[in-house]
């Protein structure tokens, strides 16, 4: 079985720079909602690097290099990618890889998705596959990277170990990623192995999420400060840990308890982590009484650092080690205080507890069928939607006339649809012509009072879902019953005997959405073309209280109106013609809130009620 190769990566906060006098391949990556860093193409990375040379605090318009990325802009100062049409913001980072690795050679590994198009692997997986390919391994197990897939090079296929499903993969040559040289601040220069999907590459997140490499690098730095000349650094750059394999775990006081283990041994001497510093090292002011911890990784890779001589054996009875795990906000110490204190303690050469970020709890414990109950006050346990049947009784002209009042003397202001003055003809004159609607006619919407050319309203309606409703483009007020373009599927809802975080006194409402793949209809972006449905069935959760049941009833109305999902382009994978959420947020994380899609979230129920109202689904729509 092939292991991860030498495609080492250097993650750094901000823009970052490679080690001094060492060429590195630059890959710009963006963070998806599953915590995976997705690489931009080589052409995009070259474009970003060119802009970066001119203005390191400016912005990058990705549409200048790839038309499909026209909505995206990267702000180099905040290191975020902004999508202009949806307002979505995602972190980006600038990573460095070995020039001999796959990105340095312009090699891209891709797998075939359900849409018969090709999706590139994450960069760390791509490097791992390429290393195994170059070593002529017959197959590769990706479980060490968190994926239950086997790669077979003889058949150029990928197999899911659980479902046994196979997909084609391919290796293609592309433009090589850009090279750069420079220096990096010492506090950000430790080598990190393959990406683990950490939320960002700032020092705090490196402390929390990269204990295997970052913790050992920090501790090695501490030893060099406390004992000059005791260790030396190898000239080899690799994403390996800094201690030899087979060493013990040390004695660790972890958040109120102790874990016993053997001391850590190195070449030419011994170093016991439980006695890492002497009694003479003072406790930092203001940290008295805190519960500190020092954690060690039980199994570490071969080290580029070796002991040059014996290290003094010094007791550590009074030296604190800050539990940096409180950065996730679950500990008694404020996250910002924990993070800043951790950095200061590292700089002072004091030990810091480095714990791996907790994994999200997506699903509840197993529930037997006998424990699943109907939701009180809600009729039924399942709703199905079928293909849309358009009403032919009303013409577009009838719909527009139903909701507007004609204005004889319009004000001299812009029509916000065509941007022409209301006192002049509509900008759609000559483009649309309908009986009884002259281009100079102006109408006022009944509820909100906003005014537009009638011809402009007609063009807007014809460009929409044509469901007999209108939505004011200025204030989003809805006239009539708004419906969406959700494809056919099934919605189930029931009660399970488990509680959500923050609602310990209530049971949980579980909603299960299931939409199969199919063919797009006339209301979809590409009629007649196949659409995919990833991640179904999707499980969502609500507390079983009065407000939670109200949200469920309104979600059922939204489902019946085909407003929960739509067909479009995924913000996560970039895949087009696939089923995506439609601006009504759901909680898909059951027992935690690490992704922002879970509990506790005291404002969620109020927020989703506001989102439903924006879609025209309010309490007034509920039937007794």
């Amino acid at each position: 079985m092939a292991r991860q190769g030498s495609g080492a990566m250097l993650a750094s906060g901000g823009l970052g720079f490679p080690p001094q006098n060492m060429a590195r391949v630059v890959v710009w990556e963006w963070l998806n909602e599953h915590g995976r860093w997705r690489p931009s193409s080589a052409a995009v990375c070259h474009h970003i690097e060119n802009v970066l040379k001119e203005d390191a605090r400016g912005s990058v318009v990705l549409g200048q290099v790839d038309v499909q990325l026209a909505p995206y802009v990267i702000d180099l100062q905040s290191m975020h990618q902004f999508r202009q049409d949806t307002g979505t913001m995602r972190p980006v980072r600038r990573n460095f890889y070995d020039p001999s690795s796959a990105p340095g050679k312009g090699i891209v590994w891709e797998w075939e998705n359900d849409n018969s198009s090709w999706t590139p692997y994450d960069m760390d997986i791509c490097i791992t596959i390429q290393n195994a390919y170059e070593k002529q391994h017959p197959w590769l197990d990706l479980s060490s990277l968190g994926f239950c897939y086997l790669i077979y090079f003889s058949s150029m296929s990928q197999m899911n170990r659980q479902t046994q499903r196979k997909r084609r993969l391919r290796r293609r040559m592309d433009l090589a990623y850009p090279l750069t040289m420079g220096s990096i601040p010492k506090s950000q220069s430790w080598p990190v192995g393959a990406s683990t999907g950490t939320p960002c590459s700032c020092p705090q997140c490196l402390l929390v999420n990269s204990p295997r490499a970052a913790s050992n690098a920090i501790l090695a730095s501490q030893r060099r400060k406390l004992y000059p000349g005791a260790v030396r650094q190898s000239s080899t750059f690799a994403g390996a840990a800094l201690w030899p394999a087979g060493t013990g775990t040390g004695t660790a006081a972890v958040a109120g308890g102790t874990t016993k283990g053997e001391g850590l041994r190195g070449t030419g001497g011994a170093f016991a982590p439980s006695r890492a510093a002497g009694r003479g090292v003072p406790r930092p002011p203001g940290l008295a009484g805190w519960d500190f911890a020092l954690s060690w990784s039980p199994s570490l890779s071969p080290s580029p650092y070796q002991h040059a001589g014996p290290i003094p054996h010094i007791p550590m009875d009074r030296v604190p080690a800050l539990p940096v795990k409180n950065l996730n906000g679950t500990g008694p110490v404020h996250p910002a205080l924990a993070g800043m204190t951790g950095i200061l303690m590292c700089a002072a050469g004091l030990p810091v507890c480095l714990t791996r970020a907790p994994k999200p709890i997506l699903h509840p414990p197993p529930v037997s069928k006998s424990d699943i109950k109907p939701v009180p006050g809600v009729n039924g346990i399942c709703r199905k939607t079928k293909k849309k049947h358009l009403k032919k009784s009303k013409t577009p002209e009838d719909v527009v006339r139903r909701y507007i009042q004609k204005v004889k003397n319009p004000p001299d202001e812009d029509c916000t649809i065509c941007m022409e003055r209301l006192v002049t003809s509509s900008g759609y004159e000559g483009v649309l012509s309908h009986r009884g609607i002259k281009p100079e006619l102006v109408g006022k919407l009944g509820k909100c009072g906003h005014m537009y050319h009638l011809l402009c309203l007609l063009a807007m309606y014809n460009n929409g879902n044509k469901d007999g409703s209108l939505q004011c483009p200025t204030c989003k007020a809805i006239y009539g019953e708004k419906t969406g373009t959700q494809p056919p599927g099934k919605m189930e809802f029931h009660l399970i005997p488990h509680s959500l975080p923050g609602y310990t006194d209530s049971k949980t409402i579980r909603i299960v959405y299931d939409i199969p793949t199919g063919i797009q209809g006339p209301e979809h972006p590409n009629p007649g073309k196949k659409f995919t449905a990833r991640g179904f069935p999707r499980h969502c959760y609500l507390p079983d209280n009065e407000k939670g049941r109200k949200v469920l009833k309104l979600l059922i109305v939204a489902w019946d109106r085909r407003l929960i999902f739509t067909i479009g382009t995924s913000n996560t994978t970039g895949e087009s013609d696939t089923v995506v959420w439609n601006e009504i947020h759901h909680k898909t994380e059951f027992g935690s809130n690490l992704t922002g899609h879970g509990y506790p979230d005291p404002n969620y129920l109020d927020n989703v009620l506001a989102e439903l109202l924006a879609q025209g689904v309010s309490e007034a729509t509920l039937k007794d």
Side-chain angles (χ1 to χ4, degrees), residues 491-550:
M491 173 188 184
E492 296 180 353
F493 39 89
H494 49 251
L495 211 59
I496 58 175
H498 298 291
S499 299
L500 293 166
Y503 297 95
T504 54
D505 297 332
S506 304
K507 295 181 180 180
T508 298
I509 300 170
R510 178 166 61 185
I511 306 172
V512 182
Y513 296 111
D514 196 6
I515 296 178
T517 58
I519 304 299
Q520 299 183 50
E523 72 273 24
H524 294 137
N526 296 297
K529 187 177 180 181
K530 181 182 177 181
F531 68 85
T532 58
R534 309 289 185 193
F536 287 94
R538 299 188 185 182
H539 293 230
C540 309
Y541 305 95
L542 292 169
D544 181 35
N545 55 26
E546 182 179 356
K547 187 175 287 188
R549 288 190 288 271
K550 181 196 298 182

Side-chain angles (χ1 to χ4, degrees), residues 23 103 228 260 266 341 404 491 522 593:
K260 294 183 179 180
T341 309
I404 61 97
M491 173 188 184
N593 193 20

Side-chain angles (χ1 to χ4, degrees), residues 32 91 153 170 328 445 468 526:
N32 69 15
F153 293 108
R170 71 178 184 182
N328 61 26
L445 290 171
N526 296 297

Side-chain angles (χ1 to χ4, degrees), residues 321-340:
L322 179 69
V324 182
K325 62 186 177 183
N326 289 334
L327 281 171
N328 61 26
T330 59
V333 185
H334 190 279
L337 178 59
M340 293 305 299

Side-chain angles (χ1 to χ4, degrees), residues 191-275:
V192 179
S195 173
T196 56
T198 55
C200 71
S201 55
C202 66
Q204 292 97 325
C205 286
L206 284 174
L207 289 174
V208 176
N209 295 304
S210 300
R212 191 168 187 178
S215 61
N216 291 296
I218 295 171
L219 293 171
S221 175
Q222 295 166 9
R223 292 194 302 280
R224 288 195 295 273
K225 294 176 182 177
L226 293 174
Y227 317 109
V231 293
R232 62 184 177 84
Q233 183 173 359
S234 168
S235 59
T236 303
F237 179 88
L242 306 181
W243 289 99
T247 56
T249 60
T251 300
V254 183
T258 60
T259 303
K260 294 183 179 180
E262 297 180 358
L264 200 62
R265 300 189 177 275
T267 305
F271 179 72
S274 61
R275 298 181 175 89

